[in-house]
Amino acid sequence: MILATLAGLVIALLRRSRFAGLRWCASVYIWVIRGTPLLVQLVLIYTGLAAVGIYQFHDVSLLGLSVKAAVQAAIIGLMINESAYIAEIIRAGLDSVPKGQFEAAASLGMKPGKVMRWIIVPQSLRVMVPPLGNSFNGMMKTTSVLSVIGVSEMFLVAQSISSYTFHTFEIFIVAAIYYLALTTIWTFIQAHIENRLARQLGIEQRVRITQRLLGARRAGAPTLQPQG
Amino acid sequence: MNVKDSTMTAASTAPVVSVQRASCTLGGRKVLDDVSLDVMRGQVVVLIGPSGAGKTTLLRSLNHLEPVDSGEILIDGVPIGHRDATSKKKVGTSELARRRREIGFVFQHFNLFPHMTAAENVWNGPVRVLGTPKDKARQDALALLERVGLADKADSRPSQLSGGQQQRVAIARALAMRPKVMLFDEPTSALDVEMVGEVLAVMRELAQNHMTMIVVTHEMRFAREVADRIVVMDAGRIIEDAPPHQLFGHPQHERTKAFLSTIA
């Protein structure tokens, strides 16, 4: 997810590049990746590349841990897939910052990189976190697709247990609870991040976890643009 | 205050801002049509004219927020958008950023950074752009906020300030960069009537301390009392340029008379 966010950031910035060629590359990347299923991408990366002899993943050991070939392919595949969506989220976030903010920063003599770092990104984060959270949440569940290339993730494990115990219902209920537990933990983290960002903007907003999970109403959603 | 020293010690007679035959077309309309204008150090120039006359475009072109199509804009002898006076090569983004430091810009809608406090808004520029140590920049920022009468609001967010207070913070933010010239784009147009005075008072104080200023405004009393020169624009051209008493007393151009009668 972190890799995907970084890659997504790079692609989103490419799309804003001064050079038409870079913008074009980024757009095509997003178009192709979002237009094809993750399942197909994974099989292409893991099996397809090896079949045509471009690249074959091998097990490697990293910091004393052995990383299986399929796991490497899974990480790369998920990163590529997710980065295209994240690039779009970041683009929307950056677009949400009013033009006057760019102009004010530029008129102080800030270079484009600093304008992004100190003025634009801090303001767009707040807009980006909820959809990024969605993405992350979705990705945790998408890991079930990885069973296709033989990564022993939860779904594959559950399937193999059920195939010799025949307790299909019980085992997949347990799997579902595990998935729910993982995404719930993320929900907590996301609420924490959102509250922090709101505090940075001087907005009194406390989303309680219970509100978050049980969908309680939030009165008077705060807006980002105080100036008229 | 240091801002005042830097403008007073320089005794050069060359113009701080020199616009030479600038033209600019936006959306198929010629918004600047062969405009030339020199502003000397310490001068206060007020731009007036009907809406759509090109006042804001002219002001924005001075720090390259709106690049001109032809002509040249020199800030203290250096062209804002080109590498040097002779070449037509466009300047790079970092060099443009460096040249923009010299020019303070105050926007109609303030454009304060909402994620920063008033003080942060002011010291952000010196720290990130000039590399001023934070402690020093923070002290300067507090002094500037005091100068605009907002010492007690240093830790407030823009969203907690009134329009007039926000605009005064915006002026302090621009001053923190020690600019050679301050540009004001209708600084009081977005304000409620009762807050116009406090912003004009700050601008008056700057003028008294010999800051070079170019102001687009509809505040005629301010223009009459503070300006050294009033420049009237109409349809992308400068049609009249005179000291206030002359311009308000004996306007030469028919359009100037017509414009003055609409606002009187």
Side-chain angles (χ1 to χ4, degrees), chain A residues 161-201:
Chain A
I161 298 175
S162 79
S163 67
Y164 60 76
T165 58
F166 300 106
H167 292 297
T168 309
F169 183 76
E170 294 86 338
I171 283 162
F172 278 93
I173 282 286
V174 170
I177 290 171
Y178 277 158
Y179 281 118
L180 186 60
L182 280 177
T183 53
T184 307
I185 291 171
W186 169 245
T187 306
F188 277 79
I189 297 172
Q190 188 185 338
H192 177 72
I193 295 174
E194 281 180 32
N195 283 335
R196 257 187 76 151
L197 288 172
R199 219 172 21 248
Q200 261 174 33
L201 275 170

Side-chain angles (χ1 to χ4, degrees), chain A residues 32 50 89 121 182 207:
Chain A
V32 170
I89 293 172
V121 170
L182 280 177
V207 184

Side-chain angles (χ1 to χ4, degrees), chain A residues 18 99-101 103-112 114 118-119 122-123 199-202 226-228, chain B residues 60 63 65 93-94 97 100-101 103 105 107 109 111-116 124 128-129 157 159 166 173 177:
Chain A
R18 268 178 295 156
K99 191 162 151 260
Q101 292 290 312
E103 292 188 343
S107 77
L108 288 175
M110 290 180 116
K111 293 178 194 170
K114 287 190 174 172
W118 298 106
I119 308 300
Q123 292 183 55
R199 219 172 21 248
Q200 261 174 33
L201 275 170
Q227 300 119 318
Chain B
R60 288 167 60 85
N63 75 345
L65 282 177
T93 49
S94 359
R100 274 175 170 158
R101 295 176 191 171
I103 309 160
F105 203 104
F107 297 85
H109 296 289
N111 297 354
L112 288 181
F113 307 130
H115 56 303
M116 300 179 181
N124 173 63
R128 311 284 177 229
V129 178
R157 305 267 167 183
S159 55
Q166 288 189 54
R173 175 177 70 176
M177 299 298 292

